[in-house]
Amino acid sequence: MTFNPNADISGNKTSRRGRNTAIVGGGGVGVIGLLVFLIGPLLGVDVTGLMGGVIDSEQSSQSSGVEEMAQCDTGEDANKSIDCRMAGAQVVLDDYWSQHVDGYEPPLLTIVDGQTSTQCGTASNAVGPFYCPPEQGVYIDPSFFEIMRQQFGASADELAQLYIVGHEWGHHIQNITGTMSDHPNNGTGAESNGVRIELQADCYAGAWLGDVTSLTDDNGTPYLQTPNQEQIDDALNAAFVVGDDHIQKQSSGSVNPESFTHGSSEQRQKWFTSGYENGLGSCDTFGEAYSG
C-alpha cells in the first residue's frame, strides 16, 4: 500500500528522538531481540539488558533532543522515506480514529533514532515498536523492519509497516476507551487478557487499513492507494512472524501455548483479516463468541 504522491501529510505531529547508534550490524539481532520486543511492553519493564552488546554503551547514556518531522509534507515523501511513512500513518490514523472514538485524543508518535528513554523503559530497535500507556505514546525505530527481514525472513514492506504502527495505535484506543483497565493482565496463555488485548489490536489495525482508502486530506485527495494482494500478503506475513508459536519454534524448537502473550501466528492473521474484511464491529476478542 502506497501513499498518493500529492496527499498532504504536512500536519503530522510526529517527532524524532534519540541517538543515531549502529544497533543493527554484523550478525544483527537474534531471536531474543523479538522476544524482548514481545515481553517488554507487556510487562511494562525495561528488558533491553537481555540484549547484551546490541546497544552501543558509549552512546546510550542519554538521549538527544526532540526533532520535528518538518521534511514530511506529502505522500511522495512518505513513499520515499520510512520515517515520513510513519508520520503519514500518524496523520491517517488520527483521522480514522477521530471518526470512531468520541473525544478522541491522539497519542504521541516518536521515531526512535538509535534509542531513547521512556516511562516504560528504553525504546530501540532491540525492543521493537511499542505503546507506553503512562505517556500515551507510540515509539518506533524504523530499523526494526530491517531486523524482521534479516532475522525472520519477513518481507516487512509498506503495508506490513503500516500494520505494525496501526497495531500500536490499537493499544492507545484500548487505553483511552477503558479496555485495558477493564481487562487487566491476568497471566499468560491463549485465553489470557494479554493475548486478547494483542489480538484486538491486530483487528483494529486491519479495520483501519480496510477503510483507509476512503480517508482523504483537506483537498479531497485519498491518502493511500488501494492495496493489491501482494501487499496484503505482506501484512499477513508480518502477523505470522510475530506469532508466539513461530517465535517459540525459532528460539527453542517447541511451542508452549500456556506461555503465549500475543497469540499464535494463525490467530494474529485471523484477527487482522477479520478487521480488514469486516471492520471494527468484528474486533470483540473479549466477547462470548471469542474462539481465539
Side-chain angles (χ1 to χ4, degrees), residues 84-100:
C84 290
R85 190 172 305 129
M86 297 297 98
Q90 174 251 303
V91 171
V92 186
L93 278 158
D94 284 343
D95 189 351
Y96 176 79
W97 284 111
S98 67
Q99 298 179 37
H100 292 280

Side-chain angles (χ1 to χ4, degrees), residues 2-51:
T2 55
F3 280 78
N4 282 307
N6 295 328
D8 182 6
I9 62 169
S10 61
N12 77 81
K13 297 178 176 62
T14 302
S15 62
R16 181 189 288 109
R17 199 169 82 196
R19 289 185 175 273
N20 189 23
T21 54
I23 293 178
V24 180
V29 177
V31 173
I32 187 64
L34 197 51
L35 290 175
V36 168
F37 151 55
L38 290 172
I39 66 176
L42 177 71
L43 300 178
V45 297
D46 179 4
V47 289
T48 50
L50 296 176
M51 294 305 299

Side-chain angles (χ1 to χ4, degrees), residues 209-275:
L209 289 172
D211 284 349
V212 75
T213 55
S214 67
L215 301 175
T216 63
D217 65 17
D218 290 341
N219 297 317
T221 302
Y223 288 109
L224 287 150
Q225 299 172 1
T226 302
N228 56 37
Q229 188 59 50
E230 181 179 358
Q231 291 169 324
I232 295 172
D233 290 343
D234 172 49
L236 290 171
N237 173 252
F240 177 87
V241 164
V242 294
D244 284 327
D245 54 341
H246 178 71
I247 294 171
Q248 289 180 358
K249 284 178 183 178
Q250 290 212 338
S251 63
S252 66
S254 60
V255 175
N256 178 16
E258 293 183 0
S259 67
F260 281 6
T261 60
H262 282 56
S264 68
S265 295
E266 181 181 1
Q267 288 176 312
R268 302 201 70 167
Q269 290 181 325
K270 168 189 170 182
W271 283 99
F272 171 84
T273 301
S274 179

Side-chain angles (χ1 to χ4, degrees), residues 52-69:
V54 175
I55 306 296
D56 184 339
S57 60
E58 292 184 0
Q59 301 187 55
S60 64
S61 59
Q62 65 182 44
S63 299
S64 61
V66 176
E67 175 188 351
E68 301 300 324
M69 305 287 286

Side-chain angles (χ1 to χ4, degrees), residues 75-85:
E76 184 175 4
D77 295 330
N79 291 334
K80 292 179 178 179
S81 162
I82 294 181
D83 285 6
C84 290
R85 190 172 305 129

Side-chain angles (χ1 to χ4, degrees), residues 124-148:
S124 72
N125 64 7
V127 178
F130 68 87
Y131 173 69
C132 185
E135 297 180 6
Q136 295 193 13
V138 173
Y139 289 87
I140 296 179
D141 184 335
S143 64
F144 175 77
F145 302 127
E146 189 59 33
I147 292 178
M148 293 182 68

